[in-house]
Amino acid sequence: CYCFGVDPALRINVFDELKLGESYAGVFQVQGFHNESRAFLFQDSWRNVRVKEDVAEVMLQKLRDKTEFTVLATLKQERLNSGVLLSIHYAEHRYLELESSGQRNEIRLHYRTRDQRQHTEGFPYSLADDRWHKLSVAVSVSHVVLHVDCNRIYERVIENPSMDIPSDTTIWLGQRNQAHGYFKGIMQDVQLVVMPQGYISQCPDLNRTCPTCNDFHGLVQKIMELQDVLAKTSSKLSRAEEKMQGLDGCYCERSCSMNGELYREDERWTDGCRNCSCYNGTVQCETISCPPPQCPPDSAPAYVPGSCCKECQRDTCGVMVLQEHSMQRVENAPCPELTCPESEHITLTDRCCKVCRGHHFCVEGHSPSCVENSECVNLEAGSCCSCKDGYRALRDDSAYCGDIDECAEGKHYCRENTMCVNTPGSFMCICHTGYIRIDDYSCTERDECTTGLHSCDENAICFNTVGGHSCSCKPGYVGNGTVCRALCDGLCQNGGSCVNPDTCICQQGFTGKRCETDIDECTDGFVECDSRAICVNLPGWYHCECRDGYHDNGMFSTHLFEHNIDECATERHSCANDTVCFNVDGGYDCRCPHGKNCTGDCNHDNKHKHNGQIWVLDNDRCSVCSCQSGLVMCRRMVCDCESTTADLFCCPECNPGLSSQCLHQNRLITYSSGDTWVENCQQCQCMSGEVDCWPMSCPPVVDCEFTQVPEGQCCPRCITDPCQADTVRNDITKTCVDENGLTRFSGAAWTKHRTECTLCQCKVFDTPLLCSLSVLEELENIERPRPSRQKQQPQFNNNSFLDRSAERRRKHTHIMFFYPCGDFWGF
């Protein structure tokens, strides 16, 4: 069963969040649709009903990244008013906006697609009739359902909306911004419900029987995600078990590494003449402290190779023996014969034998061992150790030396714009960011502008600064310097692009310095319609409209029209009861039977009208009808602005007052009532101070399989690459016939009889009827085995029939196919 109660966390009551009625000018509380219910009257064109930033962020958090949501409202809109019910937009990007146009009798849903394009879905329906209506627009991934007064009006497949709403996004009620889209009328119960089938909370009798597109899509996605997670988890578990077997019985502790050796925590060792220890993963070393040795009279302190401290050394040149009542030294071994003259002989204090002057003690190897960062120096009567440059002695014989930190001790030569970095035995001077090296010790500023290493636009001027650079757009261009665009005085109108200062490139169908002039293709001879059609000029384009009595042949051609419609056979005539209808080319004729005296009266809307009588339509005060010899002729009221009795309701262009004028979106141009223009691929019109915009009509692309809207243009063009083709859009002028013989409009969707979970949709294809697989059939297709790796075509169920042309455009449908890894296919 379905629970009709809605979790408060899933419901956003816009009136409650706004605290409407407390401090908003132009909004007044009135009696609602239900007895004792609260509603608000929206009037005036200077109100500012906008949700506060902190409250808006809380509301958007519930809506952000959601794929299923519903907009609900109960409203009573003034006749011919075109206004926005709810708008969620950031700058010029409309992420979700619901609009009702009384001028075009249309409900519009504006949103951004997943590829960050602005899209508008239009539903032909009139809400602006000064009557109460319940409105619901439910979105589920790429599926949208429109309910009015709890009746399903439209059900379509659309491009996936993006709810990746950024911060600082604004929410408006009853208007688009402070200047446009003012709704006039009464509204209540404006809500956003973030759940599937949210319209059921407004109309509980519309219970849900089948899963939504999002339900099925989410189920398949979760199954695939779970399979992937299971595979990855199993692999990780296997690797973890192998590591655990090797770690059994081990105790984890921090260790230290020095000279390629690994030491455990708190372990101590000697490195040369330093005592080192490992503490918390860090090596700490201190120089060995040597106490002064206490030597007997026959010995002296001296360093022994391999020892860090001095030790007592006896004289080993000979031994003392008693000879002739006295102690005499006796040599242990004979000394080598010297090759130098006796005058060059030198007696050493630390050895028994003499050596020649200039003897190489370091090469001989009898000098003290110079161990760490030390080198041997040859002297006149011996040798000694000396620390290398950049090192200082760790003991007094300089056999062991440690590195000097020149940077910390200030013993470096790094100059301005550099940073000193210590190295073993020396130091380096590193240039600061934005500077380049002069020599080893100094750097100078780098001129990015002259070297070309800057980020300025080609239409900007680069200025070198200390440590960097700055950019400024050239005269005639505007921007931040990194990006500059041309500035055109008065801006380019009708969708034109400013490419150079005061130079506009116009879209097709417009001309002039500012693209302000519409090209009249009809009068300029650019187009020739069929003889049974008339050319109608449009802003930026034209179309051929069938004359009375003819209709388009369905090919959208400017020259092909079907033969005459038989108004008599189809009962599309208005002949009086005492006359006979005769079909003629392009219309019909009401003739009086021979021998009778016909009155020429007319029958209109089941009312008797006399011959010559003129009247105004009950449901349209701007249309006038007349009865002429049995024929009812109706036309739009002719506006004579010079007449003082002109009905400004029907002739808004005759209103000279400032209140009837409209401000352009850029707030720089003012339009009079009745004026039209094109902005951002939308045709706009000013009607009594209100701006109404709708997607600009484009000519159909005939005999073309793939189309694309080029960048900077509004209308599709024929292309040959299917990968570059845009998504096929629904065309409500096209229809198709379902399995029961019923006519369905393009975009309409319905459940196939006796298969409650098979959804069919009318699309603009060569074969227009498409039926999606049921949930169970889709799930079966996931695991359905493939006989081979050869090229295969996806299998449709019996409810789908596509020719080759439609198969190539299968990516434009909402049917999903699954392929095992390694399969390949084409479109």
Side-chain angles (χ1 to χ4, degrees):
C1 65
Y2 187 87
C3 180
F4 299 121
V6 179
D7 186 351
L10 303 178
R11 183 194 298 271
I12 303 173
N13 193 318
V14 182
F15 280 3
D16 291 347
E17 301 292 346
L18 272 168
K19 296 181 174 54
L20 202 61
E22 295 182 3
S23 58
Y24 291 96
V27 181
F28 310 95
Q29 184 170 340
V30 294
Q31 173 64 41
F33 175 65
H34 307 286
N35 292 334
E36 300 181 358
S37 62
R38 184 181 64 158
F40 290 92
L41 174 64
F42 289 75
Q43 290 182 331
D44 306 321
S45 297
W46 39 264
R47 61 178 185 261
N48 187 17
V49 186
R50 173 181 172 180
V51 181
K52 295 180 180 179
E53 288 78 1
D54 55 341
V55 178
E57 181 59 29
V58 175
M59 297 170 61
L60 294 174
Q61 190 61 35
K62 296 182 179 180
L63 190 62
R64 192 168 282 130
D65 297 327
K66 295 298 187 295
T67 58
E68 289 191 305
F69 55 87
T70 303
V71 183
L72 304 174
T74 303
L75 56 93
K76 182 180 180 183
Q77 188 176 6
E78 291 183 6
R79 291 184 182 274
L80 298 180
N81 168 252
S82 296
V84 173
L85 308 181
L86 181 68
S87 179
I88 301 176
H89 63 264
Y90 177 80
E92 298 299 325
H93 307 308
R94 291 182 282 190
Y95 284 87
L96 180 62
E97 182 176 293
L98 190 59
E99 180 184 12
S100 171
S101 172
Q103 301 291 340
R104 304 270 302 178
N105 293 329
E106 193 175 42
I107 300 173
R108 303 180 191 132
L109 177 66
H110 306 278
Y111 61 91
R112 286 183 70 78
T113 60
R114 292 285 176 84
D115 54 359
Q116 300 304 310
R117 291 185 294 106
Q118 195 69 39
H119 184 71
T120 299
E121 194 73 21
F123 304 94
Y125 196 89
S126 177
L127 287 178
D129 56 4
D130 207 22
R131 297 179 182 176
W132 280 104
H133 294 287
K134 287 185 177 181
L135 177 66
S136 166
V137 179
V139 177
S140 176
V141 190
S142 60
H143 199 69
V144 61
V145 182
L146 172 67
H147 284 84
V148 179
D149 299 329
C150 296
N151 295 309
R152 182 173 297 192
I153 306 300
Y154 290 97
E155 185 172 358
R156 293 182 184 172
V157 174
I158 62 174
E159 297 188 58
N160 290 6
S162 171
M163 289 294 109
D164 185 14
I165 306 175
S167 301
D168 301 328
T169 297
T170 58
I171 303 178
W172 298 77
L173 180 65
Q175 58 195 95
R176 178 174 297 119
N177 47 44
Q178 292 179 332
H180 295 102
Y182 286 100
F183 171 86
K184 293 184 179 179
I186 304 175
M187 277 197 294
Q188 71 178 76
D189 300 333
V190 180
Q191 300 179 24
L192 281 166
V193 181
V194 188
M195 60 175 287
Q197 311 283 9
Y199 54 81
I200 297 180
S201 63
Q202 186 185 60
C203 304
D205 293 336
L206 299 176
N207 203 344
R208 151 187 188 179
T209 56
C210 284
T212 66
C213 293
N214 189 69
D215 292 338
F216 173 68
H217 177 78
L219 176 62
V220 174
Q221 189 68 25
K222 286 297 182 184
I223 292 176
M224 299 176 69
E225 290 177 359
L226 287 174
Q227 291 176 341
D228 184 58
V229 171
L230 180 61
K232 292 180 178 179
T233 304
S234 299
S235 177
K236 291 181 178 179
L237 181 61
S238 177
R239 291 196 299 267
E241 290 177 347
E242 294 177 0
K243 291 183 178 180
M244 289 297 294
Q245 292 176 358
L247 294 176
D248 286 343
C250 292
Y251 173 73
C252 296
E253 61 181 16
R254 303 195 68 174
S255 58
C256 302
S257 177
M258 183 175 180
N259 298 329
E261 296 290 333
L262 190 65
Y263 300 95
R264 299 182 62 179
E265 179 76 5
D266 293 333
E267 185 176 355
R268 291 174 172 79
W269 68 96
T270 299
D271 179 58
C273 288
R274 297 180 300 175
N275 288 327
C276 300
S277 63
C278 177
Y279 175 73
N280 197 24
T282 303
V283 175
Q284 297 181 351
C285 295
E286 295 179 353
T287 303
I288 295 177
S289 178
C290 297
Q294 302 296 327
C295 297
D298 61 344
S299 64
Y303 285 107
V304 177
S307 175
C308 292
C309 297
K310 290 183 178 181
E311 297 180 0
C312 295
Q313 298 292 315
R314 295 179 180 272
D315 185 5
T316 58
C317 289
V319 294
M320 302 297 293
V321 296
L322 180 63
Q323 291 181 358
E324 297 179 357
H325 307 287
S326 64
M327 297 297 296
Q328 300 292 329
R329 182 184 299 272
V330 178
E331 297 289 342
N332 288 335
C335 291
E337 183 180 354
L338 299 179
T339 59
C340 58
E342 186 175 354
S343 61
E344 296 292 323
H345 291 185
I346 299 175
T347 301
L348 303 177
T349 59
D350 60 344
R351 62 175 62 188
C352 304
C353 297
K354 296 180 180 181
V355 296
C356 292
R357 189 181 304 276
H359 182 76
H360 294 286
F361 299 98
C362 291
V363 177
E364 184 184 65
H366 294 298
S367 63
S369 178
C370 302
V371 183
E372 183 178 353
N373 301 318
S374 178
E375 56 189 4
C376 180
V377 178
N378 199 60
L379 301 177
E380 179 70 21
S383 64
C384 68
C385 293
S386 176
C387 292
K388 297 179 182 179
D389 291 340
Y391 296 89
R392 66 162 56 95
L394 297 179
R395 72 182 192 184
D396 55 2
D397 66 344
S398 300
Y400 291 87
C401 302
D403 177 49
I404 300 174
D405 190 344
E406 294 86 355
C407 299
E409 298 180 11
K411 297 180 179 180
H412 62 85
Y413 313 108
C414 295
R415 304 183 66 182
E416 63 273 4
N417 307 322
T418 64
M419 178 179 62
C420 180
V421 176
N422 187 58
T423 60
S426 183
F427 62 93
M428 292 179 61
C429 300
I430 306 299
C431 294
H432 289 311
T433 303
Y435 293 85
I436 57 176
R437 182 174 301 282
I438 298 178
D439 52 33
D440 291 342
Y441 308 107
S442 58
C443 301
T444 186
E445 180 186 343
R446 178 175 57 188
D447 192 342
E448 293 92 344
C449 297
T450 58
T451 58
L453 302 175
H454 59 81
S455 58
C456 300
D457 189 89
E458 60 180 356
N459 294 313
I461 301 174
C462 179
F463 296 96
N464 191 55
T465 60
V466 176
H469 67 281
S470 63
C471 307
S472 178
C473 293
K474 295 179 181 178
Y477 295 86
V478 294
N480 59 5
T482 304
V483 177
C484 298
R485 57 181 178 85
L487 176 65
C488 293
D489 186 19
L491 303 181
C492 301
Q493 302 178 22
N494 296 315
S497 301
C498 184
V499 293
N500 288 312
D502 291 334
T503 303
C504 296
I505 291 184
C506 303
Q507 289 194 4
Q508 184 176 355
F510 294 95
T511 186
K513 185 178 180 180
R514 297 289 175 264
C515 306
E516 72 280 2
T517 304
D518 171 44
I519 299 176
D520 192 339
E521 293 83 0
C522 298
T523 59
D524 292 348
F526 292 138
V527 64
E528 181 180 354
C529 295
D530 188 271
S531 59
R532 290 160 291 183
I534 58 175
C535 180
V536 178
N537 185 57
L538 295 173
W541 204 249
Y542 69 93
H543 77 95
C544 295
E545 186 175 283
C546 299
R547 298 180 185 274
D548 291 340
Y550 296 91
H551 66 84
D552 187 7
N553 63 355
M555 297 295 293
F556 288 109
S557 172
T558 59
H559 302 284
L560 298 177
F561 292 85
E562 285 193 357
H563 293 295
N564 173 44
I565 300 173
D566 191 345
E567 291 86 357
C568 299
T570 58
E571 296 185 356
R572 297 182 181 179
H573 63 88
S574 58
C575 294
N577 293 332
D578 55 355
T579 61
V580 179
C581 176
F582 284 88
N583 185 57
V584 295
D585 189 22
Y588 63 94
D589 189 13
C590 299
R591 303 177 184 177
C592 185
H594 182 69
K596 288 190 177 182
N597 184 18
C598 298
T599 62
D601 292 348
C602 304
N603 183 24
H604 184 261
D605 287 343
N606 296 323
K607 295 181 180 179
H608 184 79
K609 302 293 182 181
H610 295 289
N611 187 20
Q613 183 177 349
I614 300 175
W615 69 96
V616 177
L617 291 179
D618 295 337
N619 57 353
D620 186 2
R621 77 189 221 189
C622 300
S623 295
V624 179
C625 298
S626 63
C627 177
Q628 301 176 8
S629 301
L631 299 178
V632 176
M633 309 294 291
C634 296
R635 60 178 174 80
R636 189 74 176 175
M637 182 182 297
V638 178
C639 295
D640 183 8
C641 295
E642 295 182 0
S643 174
T644 57
T645 60
D647 188 348
L648 298 182
F649 180 82
C650 301
C651 304
E653 63 270 23
C654 299
N655 189 350
L658 294 177
S659 60
S660 66
Q661 296 180 344
C662 300
L663 192 63
H664 188 269
Q665 288 92 325
N666 59 22
R667 301 178 181 269
L668 298 177
I669 306 174
T670 302
Y671 293 99
S672 299
S673 184
D675 288 351
T676 60
W677 67 96
V678 174
E679 179 70 22
N680 293 330
C681 298
Q682 286 194 325
Q683 185 174 341
C684 301
Q685 185 177 22
C686 175
M687 299 296 290
S688 300
E690 295 183 5
V691 177
D692 189 16
C693 297
W694 56 92
M696 189 174 68
S697 57
C698 292
V701 183
V702 183
D703 299 330
C704 183
E705 187 173 6
F706 304 109
T707 62
Q708 180 193 38
V709 179
E711 184 177 358
Q713 299 186 25
C714 301
C715 295
R717 298 289 182 264
C718 187
I719 61 173
T720 58
D721 186 0
C723 296
Q724 301 297 325
D726 293 331
T727 303
V728 175
R729 302 182 184 276
N730 296 324
D731 184 358
I732 61 173
T733 64
K734 288 288 188 178
T735 60
C736 55
V737 179
D738 67 7
E739 70 279 2
N740 297 321
L742 298 178
T743 300
R744 306 279 187 171
F745 287 102
S746 175
W750 64 95
T751 302
K752 185 174 176 63
H753 183 58
R754 294 182 180 177
T755 56
E756 299 301 327
C757 290
T758 299
L759 181 67
C760 299
Q761 188 192 15
C762 180
K763 299 286 287 185
V764 188
F765 289 143
D766 295 342
T767 303
L769 180 61
L770 298 175
C771 295
S772 64
L773 303 175
S774 67
V775 175
L776 293 178
E777 289 171 323
E778 289 280 15
L779 292 176
E780 290 173 358
N781 283 345
I782 299 176
E783 302 297 336
R784 185 173 298 165
R786 301 283 182 171
S788 69
R789 292 278 180 177
Q790 297 179 357
K791 187 174 182 180
Q792 304 179 28
Q793 295 294 338
Q795 300 296 318
F796 293 89
N797 65 357
N798 294 331
N799 296 328
S800 301
F801 46 94
L802 296 171
D803 60 10
R804 280 189 175 181
S805 176
E807 284 189 22
R808 288 195 299 269
R809 289 170 287 180
R810 188 177 302 115
K811 66 172 182 162
H812 295 311
T813 71
H814 63 285
I815 299 179
M816 299 175 60
F817 302 100
F818 300 88
Y819 301 89
C821 182
D823 276 11
F824 57 91
W825 61 96
F827 286 108

